[in-house]
Amino acid sequence: MTERAEPLVLINLFAMPPDLIDGFIQKWPGNIEKAKGAKGFRGTRLHRAIDPDAQYPVVNLARWDSAEDWRATVSEHFWLPGSPAPEGRFPVAHPALYTVAHDTPDPLAAAGNR
C-alpha cells in the first residue's frame, strides 16, 4: 500500500424519514463506539442538513487509514448497505471512501483571522 499524507475519507449519506433524524443523531455516540478501537479508525464528524427537505438529512465524514481497515470494521460491527437493517425501519446508508483530489485552504485561517 502506498503511504498517504492523509487518511481516506468515508462519506456516508443517510436517507431517512424526518421523524427518525433526532433519534439517529442521539444514538450516534453509542453506535460509533464500536469503531473507536478499530484498526485504522481516525475519527468522525456527523453532520445534520439545515434544509428539512434534504435528500440526505444526515451525513457522516470519517477518516480511515485504509479501505481494508474500514471494510474489516464494517463487516464485523455494522450492517452493510443492501442487507436487512437490524431494527427494521432504519436509515439507508450510502457509504464510499474518497481521497483528496484538491484542497483549497480557508483564506481566513491562512491570514491568521481565526
Side-chain angles (χ1 to χ4, degrees):
M1 176 171 52
T2 308
E3 189 101 7
R4 283 185 297 279
E6 298 181 26
L8 294 173
V9 176
L10 167 72
I11 300 176
N12 198 352
L13 309 170
F14 291 97
M16 68 189 81
D19 62 314
L20 294 182
I21 298 170
D22 289 337
F24 182 83
I25 292 171
Q26 185 177 25
K27 291 178 185 176
W28 185 257
N31 290 341
I32 202 66
E33 190 68 31
K34 296 170 187 169
K36 284 185 179 177
K39 179 180 179 224
F41 180 70
R42 299 283 217 80
T44 185
R45 293 181 81 184
L46 192 65
H47 299 75
R48 183 181 189 149
I50 59 172
D51 179 352
D53 298 321
Q55 182 177 3
Y56 303 107
V58 180
V59 175
N60 175 40
L61 300 178
R63 294 172 317 284
W64 288 88
D65 285 336
S66 73
E68 295 80 16
D69 292 341
W70 174 74
R71 281 189 201 101
T73 299
V74 168
S75 66
E76 183 177 343
H77 296 293
F78 301 97
W79 79 95
L80 297 170
S83 63
E87 297 176 17
R89 184 173 172 238
F90 200 82
V92 177
H94 303 275
L97 292 168
Y98 296 84
T99 59
V100 175
H102 178 79
D103 185 21
T104 303
D106 180 342
L108 295 177
N113 294 330
R114 282 220 167 181

